[in-house]
């Protein structure tokens, strides 16, 4: 993991330390997930407020299969976001990666979700993946907007495919994007942002 740790800045100048989740992070990761508002936890794949769910992630840490990247405050006391790149290295989906992002409520709408997406896309590119998938309930509007803004296209909807924590079923929306195209677009956007004004 030669690229880490690294420090990036949000639009408002807040420093964010980025690095893969490691053994010593268990307590702060649990605190992060327990601190999510119910409206965010409700729609996640696992009940992340349960210690045993997070304990299992740590017991099974394997970056080749799931690479979790944490965004931490600069003193590393608090997790601001967690993004994961899920891979299926041996099977017929070995060219595909799945991206998942969760941002703490206080840090949402400040560009952190987009920053985490960029980190995951760069990892997907480095891993030689072709296609990225993001899966969400059709009614997760913030996630849909965030991934649409990154050029992800709805590719399939599976009816009543997932159940929220309250036991209600929802349609699952699969959005996808080509990794190289997305990375190139992100690089162009960077250049556009740093280019001095032309007169
Ligand atoms: C989806 C999520 C990761 C976005 O994180 P974020 O840090 O708020 O994202 P950003 O600030 O980078 O915003 C990216 C874009 O998403 C869209 N967006 C995000 N939150 C939004 C909201 N509340 N209302 C409208 N648009 C929203 C906007 O288009 C935004 O771009 P803009 O700020 O330039 O308008 C965050 O809302 C979250 O953690 N939700 C709960 C978990 C989840 O649903 N994860 C996704 C499933 S993988």
């Amino acid at each position: 993991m030669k690229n880490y740790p690294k420090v990036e800045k949000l639009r408002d100048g807040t420093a964010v330390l980025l690095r893969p989740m490691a053994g010593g992070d268990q307590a702060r990761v649990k605190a992060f997930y327990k601190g999510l508002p119910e409206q965010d936890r409700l729609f996640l794949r696992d009940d992340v407020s349960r210690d045993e769910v997070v304990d299992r992630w740590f017991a099974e840490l394997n970056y080749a299969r799931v690479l979790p990247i944490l965004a931490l405050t600069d003193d590393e006391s608090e997790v601001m976001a967690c993004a994961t790149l899920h891979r299926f290295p041996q099977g017929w989906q070995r060219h595909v990666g799945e991206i998942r992002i969760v941002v703490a409520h206080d840090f949402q709408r400040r560009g952190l979700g987009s920053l985490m997406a960029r980190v995951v896309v760069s990892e997907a590119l480095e891993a030689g993946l072709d296609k990225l998938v993001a899966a969400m309930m059709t009614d997760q509007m913030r996630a849909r907007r965030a991934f649409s803004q990154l050029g992800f296209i709805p590719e399939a909807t599976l009816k009543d495919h997932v159940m929220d924590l309250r036991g209600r079923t929802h349609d699952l929306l699969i959005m996808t994007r080509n990794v190289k195209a997305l990375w190139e677009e992100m690089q162009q956007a960077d250049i556009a942002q740093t280019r001095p004004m032309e007169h």
Side-chain angles (χ1 to χ4, degrees), residues 101-103 108-111 113-114 140 142-143 145-146 149:
I101 305 176
V102 182
V103 175
Q108 288 183 9
R109 270 343 270 281
R110 292 163 66 175
S114 309
Q140 274 175 279
R142 284 173 293 154
R145 286 204 194 99
Q149 186 157 309

Side-chain angles (χ1 to χ4, degrees), residues 192-199:
Q193 263 177 17
T194 52
R195 188 181 293 156
M197 295 271 282
E198 284 172 26
H199 295 284

Side-chain angles (χ1 to χ4, degrees), residues 7-198:
V7 177
E8 300 267 355
K9 287 223 161 90
L10 298 183
R11 289 194 288 256
D12 61 7
T14 306
V16 180
L17 188 131
L18 297 163
R19 62 163 174 76
M21 184 172 91
D25 291 319
Q26 210 146 342
R28 51 176 81 89
V29 168
K30 281 181 182 168
F32 165 70
Y33 280 108
K34 284 201 168 101
L36 293 177
E38 197 200 1
Q39 69 185 66
D40 285 353
R41 276 190 299 110
L42 198 60
F43 302 113
L44 297 180
R45 202 167 293 241
D46 297 301
D47 183 355
V48 291
S49 64
R50 286 168 48 206
D51 282 349
E52 59 267 35
V53 169
V54 177
D55 288 340
R56 199 181 64 235
W57 296 342
F58 279 87
E60 293 170 359
L61 259 188
N62 170 5
Y63 293 159
R65 175 71 189 83
V66 183
L67 175 61
I69 306 285
L70 296 182
L72 296 140
T73 48
D74 48 6
D75 61 358
E76 298 200 39
S77 62
E78 198 185 336
V79 176
M80 304 157 86
C82 181
T84 43
L85 174 64
H86 297 249
R87 293 168 59 190
F88 320 95
Q90 260 95 50
W92 63 359
Q93 290 186 57
R94 57 192 175 279
H95 60 303
V96 176
E98 185 180 337
I99 176 173
R100 299 183 200 164
I101 305 176
V102 182
V103 175
H105 188 258
D106 288 352
F107 293 103
Q108 288 183 9
R109 270 343 270 281
R110 292 163 66 175
L112 184 53
S114 309
L115 173 64
M116 299 308 280
R118 174 186 300 266
V119 173
V120 172
V121 172
S122 107
E123 291 297 336
L125 189 79
E126 201 155 300
L129 301 180
D130 295 333
K131 179 174 178 176
L132 268 182
V133 168
M136 66 213 72
M137 295 178 189
T138 44
D139 31 15
Q140 274 175 279
M141 293 315 293
R142 284 173 293 154
R144 286 181 69 163
R145 286 204 194 99
F147 283 106
S148 296
Q149 186 157 309
L150 292 168
F152 278 73
I153 303 289
E155 197 170 304
T157 305
L158 306 179
K159 290 278 167 212
D160 290 327
H161 197 69
V162 289
M163 194 177 271
D164 67 29
L165 292 179
R166 291 193 182 143
R168 279 177 316 202
T169 56
H170 299 257
D171 296 348
L172 183 72
L173 174 67
I174 312 286
M175 299 184 82
T176 66
R177 178 88 214 252
N178 175 273
V179 174
K180 255 193 209 133
L182 176 52
W183 182 246
E184 276 162 21
E185 206 171 280
M186 286 175 159
Q187 298 299 97
Q188 289 303 322
D190 260 5
I191 294 167
Q193 263 177 17
T194 52
R195 188 181 293 156
M197 295 271 282
E198 284 172 26

